[in-house]
Structure formats: C-alpha cells, structure tokens
Amino acid sequence: MGKPNYIVILTDDQGYGDLSCMGSPDVVTPYFDSLAEDGVRFTDWYANAPVCSPTRASLLTGRYPGNCGVRSIVSGHRHATGLNQKVPTIAKALKELDYNTGIVGKWHLGVDETSRPSEHGFDYSFTFLSGCIDYYSHIFYWGQNLGVNPRHDLFENNNDVNYNGEYATDLITRKAVSYIRENARKREPFFLYLGYNAPHYPMHAPQEYIDRFSHLPPDRRIMAAMISAVDDGIGEIRSELERQGITEDTCIFFQSDNGPSRESRNWLDGNEDLYYGGSTGQLKGHKFSLFEGGIRVPSILCWPGKIQGNQVNHEVGSSMDIFPSFLEAAGGDISLYELDGKNIFPMVMNGEDSPHDRIFWEMLNQTAVRHGKWKLVLNGQLVEDEPAVDDIFLSDLENDIGEKQNLKDQYPHIAEELKEAAELWRSNIEKRWKEEWIPLGSCLT
C-alpha cells in the first residue's frame, strides 16, 4: 500500500451526546455508527477551543490556537483576515509529499483573499468562507450589529458560484463525492478537509429528514434531522470509497468543532424554556465554555487497512494531533514543523497511553488544563456572556465526568500545581500574541 488517502470530517456545534454510538436515544446515526464499528471511537477527544475558528486553525496547523494566531471567532466581513500564511497547514505539508489537497464546506479562517484556502495549500476548494450560511440561499446574514452586510458566500476555487435552493449539507456531500471520485481515478493520494455546517444555526432541514423524527419536540426534531442529513452524507462518501476500491487505503477522521450552542438562534421561537437542541450528554457547559460540554466532542478514526475496528479508546487526544499523526503516517518529517500536537497512531494501534501529559485551553478570561484524570478550570463559564461559576474548579473526570463536585479544597496541592501550570502556559500564549500576532493583525479584523 502506498501513501494513504485522508478525509477529515468536521461537524459544526454538534454535542458530545448527539450520535447514537455515543449514547443518544433519539438521534439515529447508522453511518456514523458504522464508521465507529470499523474503527476507533474516542471518549476523551477534545476540540482545542470551545468555538469554531480556533479549533479549525489548530486542526490544520497542529498548534494551540494562540500559537497559530487564531484565538477567537473570525469575522465574516469581506476583508476579514484569519489564519496567517506564515503558519504551515497539514495541506501544505502533504502537498510536499505529492498529495492533492481539497476542502469542501466551511472554512471560517478568513474571507480576505490573502486568507482563503488557496493560500493555505489547498488545490481545490468549494467553500463558504464565513461562519455560517442560510442552508438554501447560501447567504451569510449574520453580523449586522457588527457592521457586516449580508452577502452570498459560496465559492469554487475563489469564483462565486450559485446553487440556490440546494440544501447545503447535500451540496457539500455531492462535491466531496466528486472530489473523491476524480482523485481516485487519477490514482494519486489525496487529502480532503470536509466541513459540514450542520447542525449550526439556522435550523434548516428538508422535510424528508424532519419526517424521520416526527415524534420529537420541535427544536430537537430539527437538530436530529440536520445530523441525520450529515449521517447520510457519511454513507455516500463511504460508498464512493467502496466503488473506487480505496476503502482500506483511506483514513477517515471525524470530530465536532466544539460543543452545542445555547445561542437563542438555535431556538425556533427564541424561548429558552422550550430548548431541545444539541445535547452534551452528561457533560457540563456548552459552546464557549471550558467545562467539558464546550470542548469534549464526539470523535471517530477509521482506517480499515491499518486500524482494528470496534475499538473504544479512553485516552486523551485533541484536534491539533491530526497534523503530526497524518504527516508521519504519510512518511513526512514532523521535526520540520513547530507543533504542539502529538502522533496518536501509537495510541490507537499499539495500545499506548495518551501522548499528552497535560493539555491546555483558553477562551477569553477562561483557562483550563487536564492532567490525567484531573481537570482544572479557571474563571469557568457555562455559556457565553454569563458570569464565571467559580474562579477555581478542580474535578476528577474519572469519577465525575459531569464536573459536579469542586475538589479544590479537598486537594489544594493538586489545585495549586495545576493552577500554576495553566497560568504559566497562558502567560506564554499572551506574550507570543503581543509580540508576534498583534503586529501582523492576525484574526483582529
């Protein structure tokens, strides 16, 4: 077998509890479940941020968000910059190894022409550049309060294209299948970065999917329908791999970019009391939070030619691990790159422990660290724009996955040790941000 093909699949704002293989009693996802049956389902996989742009930047660069210059949600106006060209991406690294590279779906790492996928190593792109679009008109409507005017946001290789009326999830799947078919016929290795916008607002789904969940409350029904459409897309992609005879040569990685949103735009009538949207399962917190519900996400790795199926892995991994893992497996040299991520293949193939001793997060005033079973959150918020629930919160995730009990007074030495580690890590991020990224204007416009 030569170099493997890679497909990275991201969903948008999908909760830890919103796959049937993750225990959901109402969201039915047979194709995701099949992916897990043929590979590894992670229970302790993390996004590197509780919001989308930083997580996506980390996955593509193999670095913490603060070390690649994207620490917050990138704006959607026409001249918004995001990921800086000086930071190598996995797409650029794989191109050096003769891969064809493609992106289909959500980008959200810069709208300005200097920040688009073509500037970051992608040979082919079919994308929307801002954070979300209307699922049928493909117009970016959000951000008027920040002076961002609505605009059509769908581009193929930087050319504005019109597919008005076609459901975005189905369109993204169709373009992904076409990319796979074209490159399989060329018999050259490919890297496909596939960003579904579901189940991010607006809450749109075709009637055929809504009808599958007619027994659920209205908001939950739409959420389930949106995820079901993605699930069908996974099925179409895997069917195409089978048709092309490249299933065993293709490594598929899936994760959500962060936890489910509690923004009012996720409620059909704006009434929080009637909210039945995304589920964090047993986890505490949502999108924007550094408690588990904001950063621990559903994740699956499937490579039938290399990785034994029906695995459930409880070791810690994160978005930034994909760059070094994929590059090394393709025969690349990770020592040529500045990376915070680690190669996880020994963890999933050989039963080794997580390559991470400690892993860190930051979001606005929040900072967090996980070390083994211990998790410390400083100034932790449950959702955006709400006060911190505790200035220091220490939990034992092995016995309290829901972070219900604050153990800082029971284990003061552990709390202090992790606090010092988190604050030192954060101070280094802040120092680099001021010295390197602010002068470049990265992610500030």
Side-chain angles (χ1 to χ4, degrees):
M1 181 171 61
K3 296 186 180 88
N5 306 306
Y6 292 121
I7 302 175
V8 171
I9 302 170
L10 267 74
T11 48
D12 201 351
D13 292 2
Q14 183 176 359
Y16 184 78
D18 279 335
L19 290 177
S20 44
C21 63
M22 296 294 290
S24 173
D26 50 12
V27 178
V28 181
T29 52
Y31 294 111
F32 274 114
D33 298 352
S34 176
L35 197 67
E37 289 169 4
D38 293 338
V40 183
R41 177 172 63 83
F42 297 101
T43 63
D44 291 53
W45 190 270
Y46 289 95
N48 280 111
V51 292
C52 48
S53 297
T55 291
R56 293 163 193 272
S58 282
L59 191 151
L60 288 173
T61 66
R63 302 183 188 182
Y64 283 117
N67 286 334
C68 65
V70 182
R71 297 172 71 191
S72 60
I73 296 175
V74 174
S75 178
H77 65 76
R78 290 185 181 275
H79 301 292
T81 57
L83 185 61
N84 193 280
Q85 293 178 34
K86 66 176 280 189
V87 184
T89 64
I90 182 61
K92 283 186 176 180
L94 289 174
K95 274 179 66 66
E96 295 290 324
L97 301 178
D98 299 321
Y99 274 73
N100 187 281
T101 56
I103 173 174
V104 175
K106 178 172 177 174
W107 174 239
H108 206 188
L109 290 173
V111 180
D112 186 85
E113 292 184 0
T114 63
S115 298
R116 294 184 179 184
S118 58
E119 305 303 310
H120 290 283
F122 288 98
D123 297 309
Y124 170 78
S125 62
F126 181 86
T127 61
F128 60 97
L129 301 171
S130 301
C132 60
I133 52 173
D134 179 275
Y135 280 78
Y136 289 99
S137 68
H138 316 132
I139 292 174
F140 174 70
Y141 283 111
W142 296 269
Q144 291 94 322
N145 59 323
L146 300 176
V148 181
N149 294 324
R151 60 181 177 80
H152 186 259
D153 188 9
L154 200 60
F155 296 86
E156 191 161 23
N157 295 327
N158 287 330
N159 298 311
D160 195 349
V161 291
N162 196 320
Y163 289 87
N164 187 47
E166 187 165 354
Y167 186 58
T169 299
D170 295 341
L171 177 58
I172 288 168
T173 295
R174 181 161 63 83
K175 290 292 183 177
V177 168
S178 295
Y179 176 84
I180 292 167
R181 181 180 303 129
E182 178 181 344
N183 283 279
R185 289 173 176 173
K186 292 178 182 177
R187 298 300 177 191
E188 60 183 21
F190 63 83
F191 168 74
L192 173 60
Y193 176 81
L194 175 55
Y196 284 105
N197 47 329
H200 192 291
Y201 63 76
M203 309 308 289
H204 292 165
Q207 192 64 44
E208 64 176 293
Y209 289 106
I210 295 173
D211 289 344
R212 294 181 182 180
F213 302 96
S214 59
H215 58 289
L216 297 180
D219 291 59
R220 186 63 173 162
R221 182 186 311 150
I222 298 295
M223 177 67 66
M226 294 170 78
I227 295 172
S228 187
V230 174
D231 188 64
D232 278 2
I234 302 298
E236 291 184 40
I237 287 165
R238 296 198 75 195
S239 292
E240 185 61 32
L241 296 176
E242 286 287 342
R243 279 191 292 271
Q244 299 300 329
I246 57 173
T247 295
E248 292 198 350
D249 301 331
T250 303
C251 178
I252 301 175
F253 171 76
F254 156 74
Q255 74 160 85
S256 173
D257 63 350
N258 47 250
S261 175
R262 293 288 292 184
E263 297 165 89
S264 61
R265 289 169 285 200
N266 275 77
W267 310 325
L268 293 179
D269 62 0
N271 185 346
E272 183 175 359
D273 294 334
L274 297 178
Y275 177 77
Y276 293 96
S279 169
T280 63
Q282 305 174 54
L283 305 182
K284 173 181 178 178
H286 290 77
K287 182 179 179 180
F288 296 104
S289 172
L290 292 188
F291 289 110
E292 294 289 281
I295 54 177
R296 191 189 290 212
V297 292
S299 181
I300 299 167
L301 180 68
C302 180
W303 189 359
K306 285 284 187 178
I307 298 175
Q308 181 179 345
N310 276 311
Q311 292 189 58
V312 179
N313 191 290
H314 302 292
E315 297 294 328
V316 171
S318 71
S319 312
M320 63 186 179
D321 297 332
I322 296 306
F323 187 129
S325 302
F326 281 13
L327 187 61
E328 279 207 304
D333 184 358
I334 64 172
S335 69
L336 300 176
Y337 300 90
E338 176 195 332
L339 298 168
D340 297 310
K342 309 292 183 182
N343 188 345
I344 60 163
F345 280 122
M347 184 178 87
V348 298
M349 290 181 176
N350 305 326
E352 295 185 12
D353 293 340
S354 170
H356 296 284
D357 177 50
R358 290 172 178 167
I359 185 168
F360 299 90
W361 297 266
E362 47 117 2
M363 185 72 221
L364 300 177
N365 294 326
Q366 303 174 83
T367 310
V369 56
R370 178 166 176 180
H371 174 62
K373 70 176 184 176
W374 299 105
K375 167 90 176 293
L376 185 83
V377 182
L378 303 177
N379 303 313
Q381 296 173 248
L382 295 178
V383 293
E384 188 185 24
D385 297 328
E386 287 191 4
V389 295
D390 277 288
D391 57 347
I392 301 174
F393 196 101
L394 177 69
S395 56
D396 172 359
L397 294 178
E398 192 174 285
N399 297 297
D400 180 20
I401 192 175
E403 295 170 291
K404 296 177 181 178
Q405 185 178 7
N406 191 346
L407 302 176
K408 66 176 182 178
D409 294 328
Q410 282 183 248
Y411 299 95
H413 297 302
I414 294 175
E416 184 59 30
E417 177 187 344
L418 293 181
K419 179 176 179 290
E420 289 179 2
E423 289 177 338
L424 175 61
W425 174 83
R426 179 69 182 257
S427 69
N428 289 331
I429 293 292
E430 298 291 354
K431 183 174 184 292
R432 184 172 189 178
W433 183 257
K434 292 175 183 177
E435 294 178 354
E436 183 172 356
W437 300 115
I438 287 180
L440 290 173
S442 178
C443 198
L444 298 178
T445 57

